[in-house]
Amino acid sequence: MIAMKNLIFLIFLGLIFSFMSCEESHIEQHWQKGNLHTHSLWSDGDDFPEMIIQWYKDHGYQFIALSDHNTVGNSIFWYELKEREFSNNTLEKYQDRFGDWVETQIDSNKTYVRLKTFDEFKSKLEVPDSFRIIKSEEVTSSFERKPIHINVTNIQEEIIPIRGTSVIDVMQKTLDVVHEQRARLNIPMFAHINHPNFGYGIDIEDLKKLNGERFFELYNGHPSVNNEGDDTHIDIETMWDLINIHYHKEGKPLMFGIATDDSHNYHTLSPEMSNTGRGWVMVNSKSLEPSSLILAMENGDFYASTGISLKRVLLDKQKISIEVDPELGVNYEIIFLGLQKGSDEVVELKKVEGTSAYYNIGDKDVFVRVKINSDARKDSPPMTSETKKAWTQPFLVQ
């Protein structure tokens, strides 16, 4: 009789866990792939906007933001072809792909091409239900030769570079202008701090003092941005954790981490060039409306990637569950990291080798994030030693 009762109890437990697993597996997530940092001939990129956008469209992205320096590309601009464009056959490639759409003129043996405005290339290439083009600007300033670059996603009005009395003053004034534009126009938009270690222009103390900033580049694909730091500067991932420890103590919302291409070079693929396909975000949003994408990102409902895709990221007050969409023959490592009560550092909480893992939230946990490593080499740049990674956003427990 006891054995029968135990058997019934085990069957009952099995049904409960089966039901829970079934419930969990039916949570629908809609992952939208996008790059939020891209350059064209409107500033210092080396190709036409349509050619760049078409690359992302052809390579499985659902949204792209062209973020040229200090412009939103809304004026009439005839670009003079330079030696670089002749060497790369840039115009010929553009004409082959877009034909009569291309406008050229020759004056005094110089060749000019009219760069299409944002509204023009958006109307030609956007497909509202499957591929969105979002207006953006990299507001590019400096203080005492320290570069200060801030991207504004879904910007509506061009922002003139801000001058100030310090690095933090320039950054804060720029953020304030973004917030003012958003409130005045009642249109969702957000700023993110670009490549803090580029020229080591922005240090962690600057970032700690910001008010109203929610995003920064955890990974940037440009070869000159020093993601890993050096002997006297910390790496960006460590910076991220230290910022969030400080933000939590100050009662500020946590900073979220973005991965981007920061692409400039589209004709030569090389580790020395800034190419496409190096870093992106995956946003959980059923809609591709910029407002929906931005809302999801502001809720932390996205992850950053340099090549790993996730099937599921499930978060609640009790558990964090991760499932990788694996590549054949690739090994994965899922690491749960977090800040706990009484600690001043983010520590490893659990590590699992495989394609799925979970972590039960403990009473001591303050915030938890997940990093996924792999032994697969990245596709870009060629011959890289970098392996594919992904990062969830920090999940605030306390």
Side-chain angles (χ1 to χ4, degrees):
M1 179 65 71
I2 294 174
M4 178 61 70
K5 287 183 177 179
N6 286 340
L7 177 60
I8 293 171
F9 179 68
L10 288 173
I11 292 172
F12 178 67
L13 277 181
L15 288 172
I16 290 175
F17 286 121
S18 175
F19 175 75
M20 289 173 64
S21 175
C22 183
E23 282 287 329
E24 193 174 78
S25 67
H26 279 79
I27 294 177
E28 195 171 14
Q29 295 186 311
H30 303 270
W31 296 113
Q32 314 288 359
K33 183 177 182 179
N35 179 40
L36 296 176
H37 194 164
T38 321
H39 294 278
S40 75
L41 287 170
W42 271 105
S43 61
D44 58 349
D46 68 5
D47 209 347
F48 294 96
E50 303 94 307
M51 295 293 285
I52 299 164
I53 293 166
Q54 190 66 51
W55 185 94
Y56 285 98
K57 192 175 182 180
D58 291 343
H59 285 79
Y61 289 70
Q62 282 76 51
F63 64 96
I64 179 68
L66 225 60
S67 55
D68 280 302
H69 296 281
N70 298 332
T71 181
V72 292
N74 61 357
S75 59
I76 299 298
F77 178 35
W78 287 88
Y79 178 82
E80 180 189 344
L81 296 187
K82 303 176 179 61
E83 180 58 37
R84 177 187 67 177
E85 280 73 58
F86 292 113
S87 297
N88 289 330
N89 295 317
T90 307
L91 176 58
E92 289 81 357
K93 295 173 186 176
Y94 183 36
Q95 290 172 322
D96 286 346
R97 179 62 184 81
F98 289 98
D100 292 341
W101 169 261
V102 180
E103 297 178 67
T104 63
Q105 62 181 23
I106 298 175
D107 182 23
S108 301
N109 295 321
K110 295 180 179 179
T111 302
Y112 297 85
V113 182
R114 190 174 78 81
L115 298 187
K116 303 296 185 179
T117 64
F118 173 83
D119 289 339
E120 287 176 305
F121 58 69
K122 176 182 170 73
S123 65
K124 185 170 184 65
L125 294 171
E126 185 174 80
V127 182
D129 292 336
S130 61
F131 184 77
R132 285 280 183 167
I133 303 169
I134 302 174
K135 185 179 286 189
S136 182
E137 177 189 354
E138 183 168 12
V139 183
T140 306
S141 190
S142 64
F143 176 77
E144 294 183 347
R145 297 188 177 182
K146 293 182 178 180
I148 304 168
H149 298 186
I150 299 178
N151 267 33
V152 186
T153 298
N154 205 34
I155 194 170
Q156 301 299 304
E157 300 173 352
E158 184 177 313
I159 295 175
I160 297 172
I162 304 295
R163 301 301 173 191
T165 58
S166 64
V167 171
I168 179 64
D169 187 45
V170 173
M171 288 197 295
Q172 190 62 60
K173 285 179 176 177
T174 304
L175 295 178
D176 293 345
V177 171
V178 175
H179 297 153
E180 184 279 330
Q181 184 179 138
R182 175 173 178 160
R184 174 168 48 84
L185 300 178
N186 194 28
I187 294 176
M189 64 186 72
F190 69 84
H192 80 253
I193 305 297
N194 292 342
H195 43 57
N197 276 353
F198 175 55
Y200 296 107
I202 300 173
D203 66 29
I204 188 170
E205 296 306 316
D206 296 320
L207 291 166
K208 284 180 179 179
K209 295 173 185 175
L210 287 177
N211 291 307
E213 179 54 289
R214 300 295 310 284
F215 304 94
F216 90 138
E217 286 183 342
L218 169 64
Y219 176 90
N220 178 297
H222 196 291
S224 302
V225 298
N226 306 304
N227 291 317
E228 300 302 321
D230 62 16
D231 292 341
T232 58
H233 299 88
I234 62 174
D235 65 277
I236 301 298
E237 190 169 354
T238 300
M239 184 185 290
W240 189 28
D241 288 333
L242 294 175
I243 291 166
N244 278 331
I245 292 169
H246 179 80
Y247 277 16
H248 177 68
K249 289 180 178 179
E250 293 292 312
K252 297 179 183 180
L254 298 182
M255 182 84 85
F256 294 145
I258 293 173
T260 70
D261 279 343
D262 193 2
S263 52
H264 289 72
N265 309 116
Y266 307 94
H267 301 278
T268 301
L269 302 179
S270 163
E272 289 74 40
M273 297 290 187
S274 181
N275 302 139
T276 52
R278 296 186 180 180
W280 55 88
V281 291
M282 298 292 287
V283 182
N284 182 23
S285 172
K286 190 172 184 179
S287 170
L288 279 174
E289 286 288 341
S291 58
S292 297
L293 294 170
I294 290 171
L295 176 62
M297 291 188 69
E298 290 180 333
N299 287 334
D301 202 359
F302 74 101
Y303 65 90
S305 178
T306 65
I308 292 177
S309 295
L310 303 180
K311 287 183 180 178
R312 294 186 303 162
V313 180
L314 300 179
L315 311 171
D316 59 37
K317 290 294 183 182
Q318 286 77 43
K319 186 169 70 172
I320 302 176
S321 301
I322 299 291
E323 185 177 356
V324 176
D325 189 3
E327 293 182 74
L328 185 64
V330 175
N331 298 306
Y332 297 91
E333 177 183 70
I334 302 171
I335 307 171
F336 297 86
L337 303 128
L339 175 69
Q340 297 189 308
K341 292 178 183 177
S343 177
D344 284 322
E345 62 178 337
V346 168
V347 298
E348 183 180 303
L349 303 170
K350 183 179 181 180
K351 180 164 65 176
V352 175
E353 293 186 0
T355 59
S356 63
Y358 68 89
Y359 174 75
N360 290 320
I361 302 295
D363 292 338
K364 292 184 177 180
D365 294 324
V366 177
F367 66 76
V368 180
R369 66 179 179 86
V370 190
K371 180 178 182 180
I372 303 92
N373 294 323
S374 77
D375 59 5
R377 294 284 183 91
K378 286 179 58 181
D379 301 321
S380 177
M383 306 302 291
T384 183
S385 60
E386 284 187 52
T387 55
K388 298 178 181 180
K389 295 178 172 61
W391 301 264
T392 72
Q393 302 313 309
F395 175 55
L396 184 63
V397 179
Q398 302 294 337

